[in-house]
Amino acid sequence: MSTELLSQITASLVDGDPDLTIDLTKQAIQGGIEPMTIIERGLVPGMNIVGDKFSTGEYFLPHLIISANGMQQAMDLLEPELRARSQQMKVSGKVVIGTVQGDIHEIGKSLVATMLSASGFQVYDLGVDVPAEDFIAKVKETGAQLVGLSALLTTTMIVQKEIIEALSIAGLRDQIKIMVGGAPVTRSWAAEIGADGFAEDAIQAVQLATQLMGA
Ligand code: B1M
């Protein structure tokens, strides 16, 4: 039953039917399926298929936009469920997070931000298309100990490097840890650009953040 519902959620995103995605997500929540399962086994596979179809020229930008809207609205339903299930710990640190300049992909970064916040971190989410100076200003303003840089495009991965360099030039590098992530980002890229860590998904991001904060 739950496998079938998750497959239907995937298909609704691929078919670009946001109303159905929302309806099915509500059904899945009411049916007791764990929110992370709905995300990882229902929604993300749908977005991956849409992305693949875009790559091969079968789908165009409007398809991406419609499916992303469906996923975003489903995430709005799931966010309170994720928070409700998380074990609130003592605040384990302050994190400034954003998608780097030139990149407007939001969904994955927001999921990471939600999971960090639900795990007890104080999260300052700068949104998307964030320039280095905004990260620098927010770290100075909040005294955050951790910076998270998300990039979904191969062309904006380099901006992660530029932002790390800018944080160093601003004299902040010694007082912060930096983690990077996003679909094209790898552990070796993280090492190459001098980040302190890489996380593949939102769960790993929480584990990494906790580890980097020495908790
Ligand atoms: Co875009 N897009 N897109 N897109 N888009 C990709 C990334 C792409 C792979 C699709 C494809 O061709 N197969 C491709 C990039 C190719 C490349 O760089 N080599 C692509 C392209 C080309 C583009 C445009 C250039 C298209 C165009 O205009 N011609 C354009 C770029 C605009 C820009 O940013 N300047 C564009 C635009 C868009 C939309 C706006 C339509 C929309 C985003 C809407 C939004 O976010 N509000 C969109 C979408 C939806 C996608 C795909 C289909 C799905 C992304 C997504 O939300 N996934 C994507 C294909 C794909 O990824 N399979 C694609 C679900 C999300 C939960 O996963 O974001 O990976 P993800 O996040 C994960 C992990 O990566 C990780 O944890 C998250 C949760 O598990 N993670 C972190 C992410 N950030 C992290 C940070 C961390 C740690 C972990 O620490 C700080």
Side-chain angles (χ1 to χ4, degrees), residues 73-107:
Q73 290 181 64
M75 291 301 296
D76 290 344
L77 292 173
L78 289 163
E79 190 178 316
E81 302 293 327
L82 284 171
R83 287 184 189 281
R85 277 162 182 76
S86 293
Q87 290 180 335
Q88 271 295 338
M89 302 182 291
K90 280 191 199 147
V91 171
S92 10
K94 295 179 186 174
V95 188
V96 173
I97 190 168
T99 304
V100 302
Q101 187 163 36
D103 197 324
I104 61 166
H105 292 88
E106 181 157 35
I107 297 168

Short mmCIF file of all heavy atoms in Angstrom, two decimals, residues 73-107:
data_model
loop_
_atom_site.label_atom_id
_atom_site.label_comp_id
_atom_site.label_asym_id
_atom_site.label_seq_id
_atom_site.Cartn_x
_atom_site.Cartn_y
_atom_site.Cartn_z
N GLN A 73 5.39 22.49 -2.60
CA GLN A 73 4.15 22.51 -1.81
C GLN A 73 4.03 21.26 -0.92
O GLN A 73 3.55 21.34 0.21
CB GLN A 73 2.94 22.62 -2.73
CG GLN A 73 2.85 23.99 -3.39
CD GLN A 73 1.63 24.09 -4.29
OE1 GLN A 73 0.50 24.03 -3.84
NE2 GLN A 73 1.87 24.24 -5.58
N ALA A 74 4.50 20.13 -1.45
CA ALA A 74 4.51 18.91 -0.64
C ALA A 74 5.47 19.09 0.55
O ALA A 74 5.16 18.68 1.68
CB ALA A 74 4.94 17.71 -1.48
N MET A 75 6.60 19.76 0.30
CA MET A 75 7.57 20.00 1.38
C MET A 75 6.96 20.91 2.46
O MET A 75 7.25 20.74 3.64
CB MET A 75 8.85 20.64 0.83
CG MET A 75 9.70 19.72 -0.03
SD MET A 75 10.24 18.22 0.80
CE MET A 75 11.27 18.91 2.06
N ASP A 76 6.14 21.86 2.03
CA ASP A 76 5.48 22.74 3.02
C ASP A 76 4.59 21.92 3.96
O ASP A 76 4.47 22.23 5.14
CB ASP A 76 4.64 23.81 2.31
CG ASP A 76 5.52 24.84 1.59
OD1 ASP A 76 6.73 24.89 1.88
OD2 ASP A 76 5.00 25.57 0.73
N LEU A 77 3.95 20.88 3.40
CA LEU A 77 3.12 20.00 4.24
C LEU A 77 3.98 19.14 5.16
O LEU A 77 3.60 18.84 6.29
CB LEU A 77 2.30 19.05 3.36
CG LEU A 77 1.19 19.61 2.49
CD1 LEU A 77 0.65 18.52 1.58
CD2 LEU A 77 0.09 20.17 3.37
N LEU A 78 5.15 18.74 4.64
CA LEU A 78 5.98 17.79 5.39
C LEU A 78 6.85 18.45 6.46
O LEU A 78 7.23 17.81 7.44
CB LEU A 78 6.88 17.02 4.41
CG LEU A 78 6.10 16.03 3.54
CD1 LEU A 78 6.92 15.60 2.33
CD2 LEU A 78 5.73 14.79 4.36
N GLU A 79 7.13 19.74 6.26
CA GLU A 79 8.05 20.42 7.19
C GLU A 79 7.59 20.32 8.65
O GLU A 79 8.38 19.91 9.52
CB GLU A 79 8.26 21.87 6.77
CG GLU A 79 9.37 22.51 7.55
CD GLU A 79 9.64 23.94 7.15
OE1 GLU A 79 9.68 24.24 5.95
OE2 GLU A 79 9.79 24.76 8.07
N PRO A 80 6.32 20.66 8.97
CA PRO A 80 5.91 20.52 10.38
C PRO A 80 5.97 19.08 10.88
O PRO A 80 6.25 18.84 12.05
CB PRO A 80 4.46 21.03 10.39
CG PRO A 80 4.08 21.32 8.99
CD PRO A 80 5.29 21.26 8.13
N GLU A 81 5.76 18.12 9.96
CA GLU A 81 5.84 16.71 10.36
C GLU A 81 7.29 16.34 10.71
O GLU A 81 7.54 15.62 11.67
CB GLU A 81 5.36 15.81 9.21
CG GLU A 81 3.95 16.08 8.74
CD GLU A 81 2.91 15.72 9.80
OE1 GLU A 81 3.14 14.78 10.55
OE2 GLU A 81 1.88 16.42 9.87
N LEU A 82 8.23 16.85 9.91
CA LEU A 82 9.65 16.58 10.18
C LEU A 82 10.04 17.17 11.52
O LEU A 82 10.71 16.54 12.33
CB LEU A 82 10.52 17.22 9.09
CG LEU A 82 10.57 16.54 7.74
CD1 LEU A 82 11.29 17.42 6.73
CD2 LEU A 82 11.29 15.19 7.85
N ARG A 83 9.59 18.41 11.75
CA ARG A 83 9.93 19.08 13.02
C ARG A 83 9.34 18.33 14.20
O ARG A 83 9.99 18.16 15.23
CB ARG A 83 9.40 20.52 13.02
CG ARG A 83 10.17 21.43 12.11
CD ARG A 83 9.68 22.87 12.21
NE ARG A 83 10.30 23.67 11.18
CZ ARG A 83 11.54 24.15 11.26
NH1 ARG A 83 12.26 23.91 12.33
NH2 ARG A 83 12.05 24.85 10.27
N ALA A 84 8.09 17.87 14.03
CA ALA A 84 7.41 17.19 15.13
C ALA A 84 8.14 15.90 15.52
O ALA A 84 8.14 15.51 16.68
CB ALA A 84 5.97 16.87 14.74
N ARG A 85 8.76 15.25 14.53
CA ARG A 85 9.41 13.97 14.81
C ARG A 85 10.85 14.11 15.30
O ARG A 85 11.42 13.17 15.80
CB ARG A 85 9.41 13.10 13.55
CG ARG A 85 8.10 12.38 13.37
CD ARG A 85 7.96 11.90 11.95
NE ARG A 85 6.69 11.26 11.74
CZ ARG A 85 5.54 11.91 11.62
NH1 ARG A 85 5.52 13.23 11.71
NH2 ARG A 85 4.41 11.25 11.41
N SER A 86 11.43 15.28 15.08
CA SER A 86 12.83 15.42 15.44
C SER A 86 12.96 15.55 16.94
O SER A 86 12.10 16.12 17.60
CB SER A 86 13.42 16.67 14.80
OG SER A 86 13.44 16.48 13.44
N GLN A 87 14.05 15.00 17.44
CA GLN A 87 14.30 15.13 18.87
C GLN A 87 14.95 16.48 19.08
O GLN A 87 16.06 16.71 18.60
CB GLN A 87 15.26 14.04 19.33
CG GLN A 87 14.60 12.69 19.29
CD GLN A 87 15.58 11.62 19.75
OE1 GLN A 87 16.78 11.80 19.65
NE2 GLN A 87 15.05 10.54 20.25
N GLN A 88 14.23 17.38 19.74
CA GLN A 88 14.82 18.69 20.01
C GLN A 88 15.97 18.52 20.99
O GLN A 88 15.79 18.05 22.10
CB GLN A 88 13.76 19.64 20.58
CG GLN A 88 13.00 20.41 19.50
CD GLN A 88 13.87 21.36 18.69
OE1 GLN A 88 14.93 21.78 19.14
NE2 GLN A 88 13.42 21.71 17.49
N MET A 89 17.16 18.90 20.52
CA MET A 89 18.31 18.83 21.42
C MET A 89 18.59 20.24 21.90
O MET A 89 17.96 21.18 21.47
CB MET A 89 19.51 18.30 20.65
CG MET A 89 19.25 16.94 20.04
SD MET A 89 20.67 16.30 19.18
CE MET A 89 20.82 17.37 17.78
N LYS A 90 19.57 20.37 22.77
CA LYS A 90 20.01 21.72 23.14
C LYS A 90 20.55 22.36 21.87
O LYS A 90 21.09 21.67 21.02
CB LYS A 90 21.14 21.64 24.16
CG LYS A 90 20.66 21.38 25.55
CD LYS A 90 21.84 21.60 26.51
CE LYS A 90 21.54 20.91 27.81
NZ LYS A 90 22.72 20.39 28.45
N VAL A 91 20.42 23.70 21.76
CA VAL A 91 20.94 24.36 20.56
C VAL A 91 22.41 24.01 20.42
O VAL A 91 23.21 24.20 21.33
CB VAL A 91 20.75 25.89 20.65
CG1 VAL A 91 21.48 26.57 19.52
CG2 VAL A 91 19.28 26.22 20.62
N SER A 92 22.74 23.41 19.26
CA SER A 92 24.09 22.92 19.12
C SER A 92 24.98 23.87 18.33
O SER A 92 26.11 23.54 18.05
CB SER A 92 24.08 21.53 18.47
OG SER A 92 22.82 21.21 17.98
N GLY A 93 24.46 25.01 17.95
CA GLY A 93 25.30 25.94 17.22
C GLY A 93 24.48 26.77 16.24
O GLY A 93 23.30 26.50 16.02
N LYS A 94 25.15 27.79 15.70
CA LYS A 94 24.48 28.66 14.73
C LYS A 94 25.02 28.37 13.34
O LYS A 94 26.24 28.29 13.15
CB LYS A 94 24.75 30.12 15.08
CG LYS A 94 24.14 30.56 16.40
CD LYS A 94 24.50 32.02 16.66
CE LYS A 94 24.04 32.43 18.04
NZ LYS A 94 24.48 33.80 18.37
N VAL A 95 24.10 28.23 12.40
CA VAL A 95 24.49 27.90 11.03
C VAL A 95 23.94 28.94 10.06
O VAL A 95 22.75 29.25 10.10
CB VAL A 95 23.90 26.53 10.59
CG1 VAL A 95 24.46 26.10 9.25
CG2 VAL A 95 24.11 25.47 11.63
N VAL A 96 24.80 29.45 9.21
CA VAL A 96 24.36 30.30 8.10
C VAL A 96 24.39 29.44 6.85
O VAL A 96 25.41 28.83 6.53
CB VAL A 96 25.29 31.52 7.93
CG1 VAL A 96 24.92 32.30 6.68
CG2 VAL A 96 25.22 32.42 9.15
N ILE A 97 23.25 29.37 6.16
CA ILE A 97 23.18 28.49 4.99
C ILE A 97 22.54 29.23 3.81
O ILE A 97 21.71 30.13 4.00
CB ILE A 97 22.39 27.20 5.33
CG1 ILE A 97 22.51 26.16 4.21
CG2 ILE A 97 20.93 27.50 5.64
CD1 ILE A 97 22.01 24.77 4.59
N GLY A 98 22.95 28.85 2.61
CA GLY A 98 22.33 29.44 1.43
C GLY A 98 22.77 28.71 0.18
O GLY A 98 23.74 27.94 0.20
N THR A 99 22.03 28.93 -0.90
CA THR A 99 22.47 28.45 -2.21
C THR A 99 23.31 29.58 -2.83
O THR A 99 22.90 30.74 -2.78
CB THR A 99 21.25 28.14 -3.11
OG1 THR A 99 20.41 27.21 -2.45
CG2 THR A 99 21.68 27.56 -4.45
N VAL A 100 24.45 29.20 -3.37
CA VAL A 100 25.43 30.20 -3.78
C VAL A 100 24.97 31.06 -4.97
O VAL A 100 24.06 30.68 -5.71
CB VAL A 100 26.79 29.54 -4.12
CG1 VAL A 100 27.32 28.77 -2.92
CG2 VAL A 100 26.67 28.64 -5.35
N GLN A 101 25.63 32.19 -5.11
CA GLN A 101 25.29 33.15 -6.16
C GLN A 101 25.27 32.49 -7.54
O GLN A 101 26.14 31.68 -7.86
CB GLN A 101 26.32 34.28 -6.17
CG GLN A 101 25.95 35.42 -7.11
CD GLN A 101 26.75 36.67 -6.80
OE1 GLN A 101 27.91 36.61 -6.42
NE2 GLN A 101 26.12 37.81 -6.95
N GLY A 102 24.26 32.84 -8.32
CA GLY A 102 24.12 32.31 -9.67
C GLY A 102 23.25 31.07 -9.73
O GLY A 102 22.96 30.56 -10.81
N ASP A 103 22.82 30.61 -8.56
CA ASP A 103 22.08 29.34 -8.48
C ASP A 103 20.79 29.56 -7.70
O ASP A 103 20.83 30.05 -6.57
CB ASP A 103 22.97 28.31 -7.75
CG ASP A 103 22.52 26.87 -7.97
OD1 ASP A 103 21.31 26.64 -8.04
OD2 ASP A 103 23.39 25.99 -8.05
N ILE A 104 19.66 29.20 -8.31
CA ILE A 104 18.37 29.45 -7.65
C ILE A 104 17.69 28.16 -7.17
O ILE A 104 16.52 28.18 -6.83
CB ILE A 104 17.41 30.26 -8.55
CG1 ILE A 104 17.09 29.51 -9.85
CG2 ILE A 104 17.99 31.65 -8.84
CD1 ILE A 104 15.91 30.11 -10.62
N HIS A 105 18.42 27.05 -7.18
CA HIS A 105 17.83 25.79 -6.69
C HIS A 105 17.67 25.86 -5.17
O HIS A 105 18.64 26.09 -4.45
CB HIS A 105 18.70 24.60 -7.10
CG HIS A 105 18.69 24.36 -8.56
ND1 HIS A 105 19.58 24.97 -9.42
CD2 HIS A 105 17.87 23.60 -9.34
CE1 HIS A 105 19.32 24.60 -10.66
NE2 HIS A 105 18.29 23.76 -10.65
N GLU A 106 16.44 25.64 -4.73
CA GLU A 106 16.10 25.94 -3.35
C GLU A 106 15.72 24.72 -2.51
O GLU A 106 15.92 24.69 -1.29
CB GLU A 106 14.91 26.92 -3.36
CG GLU A 106 14.46 27.35 -1.99
CD GLU A 106 13.72 28.66 -1.99
OE1 GLU A 106 13.00 28.91 -2.98
OE2 GLU A 106 13.86 29.42 -1.02
N ILE A 107 15.10 23.73 -3.17
CA ILE A 107 14.40 22.67 -2.43
C ILE A 107 15.34 21.88 -1.51
O ILE A 107 15.05 21.69 -0.32
CB ILE A 107 13.67 21.73 -3.42
CG1 ILE A 107 12.60 22.53 -4.18
CG2 ILE A 107 13.04 20.55 -2.69
CD1 ILE A 107 11.99 21.80 -5.38
#
